[in-house]
Amino acid sequence: MSLWEYANPVKFMGLSSRLIPTLSVLTILCLVTGIVWGFFGTPDDYKQGSTVKIIFLHVPSALMAINAWMMMLVASLVWLIRRHHVSALAAKAAAPIGITMTLIALGTGAIWGKPMWGTYWAWDPRLTSFMILFVFYLGYMALWSAIEDSDTAADLTSILCMIGSVFALLSRYAVNFWNQGLHQGASLSLDKEQHVDDTFYYPLLFCIAGFVLLFVLLVLIRTRTEIRLRRAAALAARNV
Amino acid sequence: MPDLGKYADTVILAYIVSFVFLIGLVGLTWLQSRRAKRILATEETRNGK
């Protein structure tokens, strides 16, 4: 059994309909556990006070904003190389989720930045590359809507996705490239000396797992929506 | 409700903003999914399938 079999829309619909109920339950469990534990069960930070609780939404959303684009890149490459329509539709389906995650990360970051840095916004390398990533998301979605022929739209958005990947990676690693900037290093690291204290780390892991599961769940649902709309358009074209 | 001290407004605002976006995304996804099912069902009926 090959993974490519799921590029067949019928197989994809069958598999995704079986996965969605389980994924929904796991998503709710992880998100509720992580957010309730993080909000109610963690103490204030000695430097940042209660604002540290924003980490449970800011870090997972920022992580997913970048990883959604990377998933779109993989799906776009699959489309360009193997011409599987489901992969192009999955990339299209992921964009609104990615842009929402970017907005949450930018919004919570600005709200957190005001009391900690004294400003809502700074042209910090990570913030700037994140803002550019947001513009790429907008451009990607606009391009899908602007082109009538779906294969041409998939081709052009795939190329845009490859270009935007530079900024997605830059947002992840910007703090390592440039020293000037307000952001600290990685909050999550395999090196225990570097990452946040365990008190915050474990609920944060639940929140990250919840956001990852939410992303997968929504991509599946939205891809199914795109497949249905394409099938409906094909049937409608027969009647013209 | 934990005591959020002088940053209570900041923390609550961040949570409200996030929940609004998340609930909006889930709601929109659900509505679009329902709409697509309806459109496909209509087309399949028209095609006698």
Side-chain angles (χ1 to χ4, degrees):
Chain A
M1 173 94 131
S2 159
L3 179 71
W4 300 116
E5 285 186 31
Y6 293 104
N8 176 327
V10 177
K11 288 221 167 178
F12 176 85
M13 294 298 270
L15 177 71
S16 57
S17 72
R18 289 195 300 276
L19 285 176
I20 284 171
T22 314
L23 268 175
S24 305
V25 173
L26 284 175
T27 303
I28 292 168
L29 271 178
C30 283
L31 279 179
V32 170
T33 306
I35 289 171
V36 169
W37 186 359
F39 189 82
F40 294 98
T42 58
D44 288 358
D45 179 65
Y46 77 104
K47 262 190 193 167
Q48 305 188 52
S50 61
T51 62
V52 73
K53 293 180 194 295
I54 298 172
I55 200 173
F56 302 111
L57 295 165
H58 180 71
V59 169
S61 57
L63 200 78
M64 286 322 298
I66 298 167
N67 288 334
W69 193 275
M70 300 321 287
M71 173 260 155
M72 286 159 59
L73 172 68
V74 173
S76 298
L77 288 173
V78 171
W79 162 254
L80 287 175
I81 297 165
R82 301 196 62 139
R83 311 304 281 182
H84 289 315
H85 286 92
V86 172
S87 65
L89 294 179
K92 183 185 181 187
I97 311 165
I99 202 171
T100 308
M101 295 297 169
T102 311
L103 281 171
I104 294 173
L106 285 171
T108 53
I111 294 166
W112 200 357
K114 182 63 179 165
M116 293 302 108
W117 297 339
T119 180
Y120 287 111
W121 180 263
W123 294 102
D124 164 279
R126 182 172 275 182
L127 294 182
T128 308
S129 49
F130 232 86
M131 180 58 86
I132 297 171
L133 180 64
F134 171 70
V135 174
F136 264 96
Y137 269 119
L138 279 181
Y140 181 91
M141 290 164 65
L143 196 55
W144 263 111
S145 318
I147 300 168
E148 209 167 309
D149 179 63
S150 54
D151 284 5
T152 310
D155 286 340
L156 294 177
T157 51
S158 296
I159 293 163
L160 183 70
C161 190
M162 285 195 280
I163 300 165
S165 303
V166 175
F167 292 95
L169 285 172
L170 209 58
S171 353
R172 172 67 184 84
Y173 294 107
V175 283
N176 304 340
F177 300 153
W178 290 293
N179 289 325
Q180 76 274 26
L182 297 170
H183 260 98
Q184 77 286 9
S187 303
L188 296 168
S189 164
L190 290 175
D191 181 355
K192 262 184 97 72
E193 294 299 312
Q194 280 190 24
H195 74 62
V196 295
D197 188 81
D198 284 352
T199 319
F200 306 107
Y201 185 63
Y202 293 116
L204 182 56
L205 284 184
F206 269 96
C207 287
I208 290 172
F211 270 71
V212 171
L213 289 167
L214 179 67
F215 173 74
V216 175
L217 175 66
L218 292 179
V219 166
L220 288 181
I221 296 172
R222 297 185 75 91
T223 307
R224 288 166 63 84
T225 301
E226 293 295 337
I227 290 171
R228 284 192 178 110
L229 288 175
R230 188 165 289 197
R231 167 95 181 126
L235 289 174
R238 262 194 226 168
N239 292 325
V240 175
Chain B
M1 183 79 176
D3 179 17
L4 300 172
K6 62 178 176 174
Y7 297 124
D9 292 350
T10 304
V11 177
I12 288 168
L13 179 63
Y15 273 74
I16 288 174
V17 166
S18 303
F19 288 145
V20 165
F21 277 120
L22 286 176
I23 292 166
L25 175 68
V26 172
L28 189 69
T29 301
W30 181 68
L31 285 175
Q32 287 174 335
S33 169
R34 266 182 36 152
R35 184 176 152 268
K37 276 182 198 169
R38 204 173 51 239
I39 292 171
L40 180 58
T42 309
E43 288 302 332
E44 282 179 343
T45 311
R46 277 178 61 191
N47 276 269
K49 190 181 168 189

